[in-house]
Amino acid sequence: MKTKYLLITALVLLFISCGDQKKEGTIAEVDSPESKKEAFEFGVWTTANGKKSDEEYLKEFEKYSNGGIDEVLINTGTDPKLLERLVPLAKEKGLRVHAWIMAVNRPGDTIALQHPEWYQVSREGKSCFDTRPYVGYYQWLCPTRKESRNHILGLVEGLAKVEGVESVHLDYIRFPDIFLPIGLLPKYNLIQDEELPEYDFCYCDVCISEFEKIHHKNPLESKNTAIDMEWKNFRLNAIKSVVDDAYKIAHNNNKILTAAVFPYPEMADHMVRQRWDKWDIDEVYPMIYHGFYNEEVDWIGYATKQGVTDTESEGISLNTGIYIPDFKTTEDLKQAILYAKENGAKGVSFFDGNAISDEFFETIKTTKANL
């Protein structure tokens, strides 16, 4: 009888003990999300110059770090050796590094320029190899042609292999602008009320052939390519295919994939054949440059929310891109940061680091401390 009593007592104590442990575990679970809450991040885009000394770069990176910046997205002209040199210098100053690459638009690419057939062709039959839309540095490679897309992916892999890099950061991962931002039209003396043939890409032999295999029609024979959804989706998917392969390459090298994109997916779709909410990608940095679109500062919040909403089910993080020359006052810059955060962004990134004045750095630092 005594043994039975002791056994019952032990079971009661064990039950109470388990209950206490469960209660403690519940408290820990409640506290955990708050304790692990991610800090709002601040980044800058910057273009490297191999002629600058390590001392000059340490000074530049220290300026960023002291100004509240957490990460730098560095364009090294797709030079992995220069990137290898800069990563430890940036890390010494407490900065994370992303390898920024101009992907489909490859100005001055010495390898690509040896292959004129790699370049995109407009609806009027002119190649970006020798006829550049809008500006001289618009030298766009075809994302459908095997050789040109493999060249792009090879460059991605070279950057992904650099030790210490957070991500490969794709830029110009799209087609040329079928529609320019409205604020830029006067600069080019243009009216774009419809899709103009000289800015409509790509109609090279490979794109047409691959499209015909699927849809059994030639887009050049379409009465109105602007409403041919199969042709539009073919080009959206050509970019998606490059991104999805880049994602595999980045992850195979223990890096993430990020990209600079147009303000929000529907807008990117309309303007540059870019539907980034459907990509395999970890983070996006939409360039919400309100001045380009003749918008007010609060549009940064609107566009941020659109992107966050479109990607929330896909697990894609969003960092709002802010164009520094559009800002005249520190108060507007502060408000831009707050609009981004309030509308769900993970952080903000500024274009570009060298354009940020000491006064603006102080605003960034103060705003960050009060978030």
Side-chain angles (χ1 to χ4, degrees), residues 60-78:
E60 178 182 347
F61 294 147
E62 185 172 31
K63 177 180 69 173
Y64 296 154
S65 184
N66 289 342
I69 301 301
D70 303 301
E71 61 181 16
V72 285
L73 303 105
I74 305 178
N75 178 7
T76 61
T78 328

Side-chain angles (χ1 to χ4, degrees), residues 150-165:
N150 284 348
H151 175 61
I152 294 167
L153 292 170
L155 296 171
V156 168
E157 185 169 19
L159 296 175
K161 289 183 179 299
V162 175
E163 186 177 350
V165 167

Side-chain angles (χ1 to χ4, degrees), residues 64-331:
Y64 296 154
S65 184
N66 289 342
I69 301 301
D70 303 301
E71 61 181 16
V72 285
L73 303 105
I74 305 178
N75 178 7
T76 61
T78 328
D79 181 353
K81 292 296 183 184
L82 179 55
L83 188 62
E84 286 174 359
R85 178 187 148 209
L86 297 181
V87 169
L89 299 178
K91 288 199 165 190
E92 183 178 328
K93 298 302 178 181
L95 301 171
R96 300 187 302 275
V97 178
H98 299 257
W100 170 19
I101 173 177
M102 295 179 73
V104 181
N105 181 28
R106 298 288 310 148
D109 187 316
T110 56
I111 295 174
L113 286 169
Q114 298 174 38
H115 303 276
E117 72 279 7
W118 287 8
Y119 288 82
Q120 292 190 31
V121 176
S122 71
R123 181 155 42 104
E124 66 175 4
K126 295 182 179 179
S127 171
C128 284
F129 177 74
D130 48 25
T131 304
R132 286 80 185 257
Y134 304 113
V135 288
Y137 65 85
Y138 262 28
Q139 298 175 264
W140 297 79
L141 300 183
C142 175
T144 304
R145 186 181 294 268
K146 180 180 178 180
E147 295 82 3
S148 47
R149 75 186 306 278
N150 284 348
H151 175 61
I152 294 167
L153 292 170
L155 296 171
V156 168
E157 185 169 19
L159 296 175
K161 289 183 179 299
V162 175
E163 186 177 350
V165 167
E166 297 287 320
S167 84
V168 177
H169 181 72
L170 305 175
D171 195 6
Y172 288 94
I173 184 68
R174 57 181 179 87
F175 281 86
D177 318 60
I178 186 66
F179 294 106
L180 283 177
I182 191 171
L184 299 183
L185 288 173
K187 178 180 178 180
Y188 298 95
N189 194 28
L190 281 174
I191 296 174
Q192 291 183 327
D193 294 333
E194 58 182 346
E195 295 188 358
L196 301 174
E198 59 266 44
Y199 306 117
D200 185 10
F201 294 85
C202 172
Y203 292 80
C204 75
D205 293 343
V206 172
C207 281
I208 291 175
S209 174
E210 292 300 313
F211 180 74
E212 284 184 313
K213 288 178 185 178
I214 303 169
H215 297 289
H216 319 295
K217 57 183 178 180
N218 186 331
L220 286 171
E221 297 171 1
S222 172
K223 292 182 179 179
N224 187 349
T225 54
I227 59 172
D228 187 333
M229 290 300 102
E230 289 83 13
W231 178 229
K232 182 179 182 180
N233 281 329
F234 176 84
R235 291 173 287 177
L236 291 173
N237 288 334
I239 295 298
K240 173 177 166 55
S241 176
V242 174
V243 174
D244 291 355
D245 282 351
Y247 179 87
K248 294 172 188 173
I249 291 169
H251 281 245
N252 285 341
N253 286 278
N254 300 313
K255 308 298 191 302
I256 64 170
L257 188 71
T258 63
V261 294
F262 266 54
Y264 53 90
E266 295 87 353
M267 192 172 191
D269 178 320
H270 174 69
M271 298 182 72
V272 294
R273 325 289 194 199
Q274 181 192 66
R275 190 70 198 216
W276 46 264
D277 56 326
K278 299 183 181 297
W279 293 351
D280 288 342
I281 197 159
D282 297 292
E283 296 186 19
V284 288
Y285 290 64
M287 299 171 287
I288 306 179
Y289 299 169
H290 65 289
F292 284 32
Y293 303 94
N294 295 340
E295 298 285 357
E296 304 294 334
V297 175
D298 62 354
W299 186 75
I300 291 171
Y302 167 81
T304 296
K305 186 173 183 179
Q306 293 296 310
V308 168
T309 300
D310 283 349
T311 57
E312 62 186 351
S313 64
E314 304 300 323
I316 300 171
S317 299
L318 186 148
N319 296 268
T320 298
I322 292 174
Y323 187 66
I324 287 295
D326 281 343
F327 292 88
K328 307 304 179 188
T329 70
T330 56
E331 181 59 28

